[in-house]
Amino acid sequence: MKIKSAKVIICSPGRNYVTLKIETEEGVYGLGDATLNGREKAVASYLEDHLIPCIIGRDPFDTEDIWQYLYKGAYWRGGAVTMAAIGAIDTALWDIKGKALGVPVYKLLGGKSRHKMMAYTHAQGKNIEETLQKIEEIVNRGYKAVRVQSGIPGMENIYGISKTDDNYEPAGTGLKPDEEVWSTEKYLNYVPKLFAAVREKFGDDLHLLHDAHHRLTPIEAARLGKSLEPYHLFWLEDTVPAELQEGFKTIRQHTTIPLSVGEIFNTISQCTDLITNQWIDYIRMTITHGGGITPMMKIAHLAEIYHVKTGCHGPSDLSPVNLAACLHFGTAINNFGIQEYMGFPNEVSNVFSTDYKFSDGFFTISESPGLGVDFDEEKAKEYPYKQAYLPINRLEDGTLYSW
Ligand code: GCO
Ligand code: MG
């Protein structure tokens, strides 16, 4: 087979998505998700100006060599923009391979390791009472695992909490990023009370997750982990900014809380030490930002040896193409842990069609060839790109902090 052409489509059905469509001379096409929240156009340019010209004429079955060519061949390795672009190409090529052979992608990755995959979604409320109500609604929808975030007294706008009654969307549409104000002390004092109330109301069986969104020092993370131990969380996510990975050793020395990290990682080298030192329990890298299915399979196999499971990032700011790719990956690997599922804006289903199934808290993959997703280019034109930025965060005295 031969790659004939490829195009990048940015559309905004409720929020921005960057979609790559690769077409072959044989008429089979594949889809990839290249969305990077708040930096959409940079990935589109990297694809259009630098990568697509290099893949025309290649055999789409050569996923390993094409991946190496785009990664090593650039000389400038890694980075979120680069890897989201490579990830979209790799995903689209696996979609083409599946369609050309008439098999779902998971069958090419190792076949069926499980028949369903547990998902978690987000419960968020302005205060504990509202958060408890949201958890109840989510449990009634069948979920067995819930990420719990709550507004904190004394902090006006914080990560994970919607300012309106709508689902949470962090990206703002102003000309510059919105600014939020953060107090670690207020947060650390409040979160154990939140989880005490959740366990009190929902008992022991519901899986509970929490995201600290990179805002703690290692010793603060250790304090939070210890204070949450009685509520036996499924995981505590993104405690510390992960550039300084020794911090995880400190956290591990103090607490048995399971740790997850990696949604902003994009290469295997960023998670190798965390995995091989057994400093984490779940790796959160996802197909798009992790550079595609090809490298994510290697990461999963490495992690399997060290008792680390997957927990792919699945926010609404990645498209259904990424989610479908995560589900094929999750079906095939042995060490699947859980899949994040935030849901999508309503308009998304006017542009993307999917055939994975969700029921009673679990996803199941479909048997259709390729990834089982499609994209309506004409409908996409009705939703033009809207400039958007993720917020920034400052401490109460004005110091710029991690968001
Ligand atoms: C998560 C994430 C997201 C990110 C978002 C940024 O755990 O789902 O932390 O909510 O903040 O993807 O664009
Ligand atoms: Mg997160």
Side-chain angles (χ1 to χ4, degrees):
M1 289 184 81
K2 227 180 202 185
I3 296 172
K4 185 177 79 179
S5 60
K7 58 180 150 185
V8 182
I9 304 118
I10 308 184
C11 62
S12 194
R15 67 158 351 280
N16 290 324
Y17 294 107
V18 184
T19 305
L20 173 73
K21 185 170 182 179
I22 300 183
E23 289 171 306
T24 60
E25 287 184 357
E26 291 72 12
V28 179
Y29 65 88
L31 297 173
D33 179 17
T35 311
L36 185 61
N37 202 1
R39 295 291 186 272
E40 294 84 0
K41 288 190 166 178
V43 187
S45 158
Y46 195 67
L47 277 163
E48 285 168 344
D49 298 329
H50 303 290
L51 300 191
I52 290 173
C54 301
I55 61 166
I56 305 301
R58 296 288 315 256
D59 182 343
F61 272 81
D62 293 343
T63 42
E64 182 65 32
D65 187 70
I66 291 174
W67 190 90
Q68 300 286 349
Y69 182 94
L70 299 176
Y71 177 76
K72 291 183 184 158
Y75 183 63
W76 312 108
R77 296 182 191 187
V81 172
T82 303
M83 299 311 287
I86 298 177
I89 290 182
D90 185 75
T91 306
L93 297 183
W94 281 99
D95 191 23
I96 290 173
K97 292 206 275 190
K99 285 176 180 167
L101 296 171
V103 292
V105 166
Y106 80 84
K107 289 209 179 186
L108 304 174
L109 303 177
K112 198 169 263 189
S113 284
R114 62 192 47 72
H115 56 272
K116 58 180 187 174
M117 287 160 277
M118 187 162 71
Y120 75 92
T121 197
H122 298 188
Q124 44 105 9
K126 292 180 189 65
N127 48 43
I128 293 183
E129 203 182 317
E130 199 180 293
T131 307
L132 294 178
Q133 274 169 25
K134 294 283 172 59
I135 299 172
E136 187 154 20
E137 286 165 28
I138 288 167
V139 169
N140 289 340
R141 276 154 53 204
Y143 280 94
K144 310 289 180 266
V146 187
R147 190 189 88 159
V148 178
Q149 310 287 134
S150 164
I152 312 268
M155 279 193 263
E156 207 183 325
N157 290 323
I158 65 162
Y159 166 76
I161 310 303
S162 182
K163 290 171 212 154
T164 65
D165 285 339
D166 292 344
N167 282 344
Y168 176 64
E169 167 55 65
T173 48
L175 291 178
K176 286 184 180 171
D178 294 339
E179 300 209 2
E180 297 177 355
V181 177
W182 176 256
S183 158
T184 299
E185 269 311 305
K186 287 180 181 139
Y187 169 79
L188 288 177
N189 290 337
Y190 196 71
V191 173
K193 293 179 198 148
L194 167 68
F195 279 90
V198 176
R199 277 289 175 229
E200 166 87 20
K201 183 166 163 87
F202 294 94
D204 275 334
D205 290 344
L206 186 62
H207 295 300
L208 302 177
L209 301 83
H210 181 70
D211 190 347
H213 223 254
H214 328 265
R215 284 155 195 220
L216 305 175
T217 64
I219 209 68
E220 288 165 350
R223 169 182 155 190
L224 179 63
K226 281 176 83 161
S227 63
L228 294 179
E229 275 172 23
Y231 316 114
H232 50 94
L233 268 58
F234 186 94
W235 79 35
L236 176 62
E237 174 181 339
D238 283 348
T239 49
V240 294
E243 288 97 333
L244 184 63
Q245 301 196 339
E246 285 265 318
F248 282 83
K249 186 174 171 186
T250 306
I251 306 170
R252 273 289 205 234
Q253 281 166 346
H254 291 282
T255 175
T256 58
I257 197 161
L259 298 170
S260 70
V261 75
E263 67 181 38
I264 66 167
F265 294 177
N266 40 68
T267 59
I268 193 166
S269 58
Q270 289 174 297
C271 59
T272 302
D273 287 347
L274 291 171
I275 290 171
T276 57
N277 285 307
Q278 301 176 56
W279 287 339
I280 57 168
D281 301 279
Y282 295 91
I283 180 71
R284 295 264 297 134
M285 291 173 69
T286 198
I287 302 290
T288 291
H289 300 150
I293 292 172
T294 297
M296 286 292 288
M297 289 300 290
K298 298 174 191 181
I299 291 167
H301 293 329
L302 175 73
E304 182 195 331
I305 299 166
Y306 293 94
H307 312 288
V308 175
K309 292 184 180 173
T310 63
C312 287
H313 192 206
S316 46
D317 50 76
L318 283 160
S319 87
V321 179
N322 178 71
L323 182 59
C326 287
L327 295 174
H328 283 275
F329 169 73
T331 299
I333 57 173
N334 174 264
N335 52 331
F336 168 83
I338 198 165
Q339 175 62 50
E340 180 179 25
Y341 178 53
M342 259 178 94
F344 295 106
N346 292 335
E347 302 93 312
V348 163
S349 58
N350 298 336
V351 177
F352 293 92
S353 55
T354 56
D355 62 5
Y356 49 72
K357 297 274 174 292
F358 178 78
S359 138
D360 209 24
F362 290 83
F363 277 108
T364 38
I365 204 70
S366 81
E367 295 300 316
S368 54
L371 292 173
V373 279
D374 214 346
F375 178 75
D376 188 329
E377 283 182 60
E378 285 309 307
K379 280 277 169 54
K381 290 182 187 151
E382 293 171 23
Y383 302 98
Y385 165 76
K386 290 190 188 129
Q387 184 270 328
Y389 273 115
L390 285 172
I392 62 132
N393 210 14
R394 291 188 186 276
L395 299 179
E396 289 170 315
D397 68 357
T399 309
L400 194 94
Y401 202 60
S402 305
W403 177 73

